[in-house]
Amino acid sequence: MSNVYTVAVLVGSLRKASINRKVALALAELAPANLKLNIVEIGDLPLYNEDIDVTPPPAAYSTFRQQVGAADALLFVTPEYNRSVPAPLKNAIDVGSRPYGQSCLSGKPGAVISASPGAIGGFGANHHLRQSLVFLDVPCMQQPEAYLSGAGTAFDEAGNLSESVRPFLQKFIDAYGKWVEQHKKA
């Protein structure tokens, strides 16, 4: 029997009806038995500012760092804003990577999935985020890449996952389960 690994899920969109949040919740339902996905909220984090990151840091920073630090792995689910990562997600990464030398992200196996109503499925945000993760020592799953285009049709009006999208998400989360297992055993 394999271990169960906790995964901190960071969703880049703050909208209540966010497609990306729906994707994250669908992945949690489809996750293999070795993964337990938990969304870590990022909407209440003050913009990162070293002037306020003192002892004690803002409570929201401490809570976020504790939740992410306690996780075994990281999953980023993001839309694309202007060919990049949404500001709240970038801010969360900045908060998590500070203070210098005390990153709660470092060494945790990660993966990125981007979802967008557009035709390229958030390709720019996905790759831009990966650049930051390399610097932050988050070993990121390379394959399968996951860009969900036309994501506005991935769920019906009741919020149920489309049967046409289910195999794509299942393949991704199953591969991620193997990636986390492999990385944590190494």
Side-chain angles (χ1 to χ4, degrees):
M1 177 100 183
S2 65
N3 293 324
V4 176
Y5 301 102
T6 59
V7 179
V9 181
L10 304 181
V11 179
S13 174
L14 302 181
R15 280 189 325 114
K16 288 180 184 177
S18 164
I19 294 167
N20 284 271
R21 181 172 292 274
K22 290 177 185 177
V23 169
L25 294 171
L27 289 169
E29 289 181 18
L30 298 170
N34 71 326
L35 298 182
K36 182 175 188 253
L37 278 62
N38 301 309
I39 294 176
V40 176
E41 299 298 340
I42 64 174
D44 291 334
L45 290 172
L47 288 176
Y48 185 76
N49 179 343
E50 194 172 354
D51 290 341
I52 65 170
D53 195 10
V54 295
T55 304
Y61 285 11
S62 296
T63 299
F64 176 79
R65 290 170 177 158
Q66 185 280 325
Q67 289 174 331
V68 172
D72 296 305
L74 305 168
L75 177 60
F76 299 86
V77 185
T78 188
E80 178 176 291
Y81 292 177
N82 301 312
R83 297 287 186 255
S84 188
V85 178
L89 183 55
K90 176 61 168 83
N91 185 54
I93 291 167
D94 291 345
V95 169
S97 69
R98 299 286 189 264
Y100 183 79
Q102 298 176 39
S103 173
C104 65
L105 308 168
S106 183
K108 296 181 188 296
V112 178
I113 182 168
S114 52
S116 169
I120 58 175
F123 178 87
N126 193 306
H127 281 264
H128 198 202
L129 179 54
R130 288 170 180 271
Q131 286 179 310
S132 294
L133 297 179
V134 168
F135 175 76
L136 295 171
D137 189 32
V138 175
C140 201
M141 182 175 77
Q142 299 302 307
Q143 293 293 328
E145 293 180 306
Y147 318 100
L148 182 58
S149 61
T153 62
F155 299 89
D156 65 20
E157 289 183 21
N160 300 309
L161 181 63
S162 164
E163 289 304 316
S164 64
V165 175
R166 183 178 302 277
F168 171 75
L169 293 183
Q170 190 69 64
K171 180 180 176 183
F172 173 80
I173 199 67
D174 287 347
Y176 181 57
K178 291 175 185 171
W179 170 253
V180 171
E181 188 85 33
Q182 174 188 5
H183 182 78
K184 295 306 280 186
K185 284 186 176 179

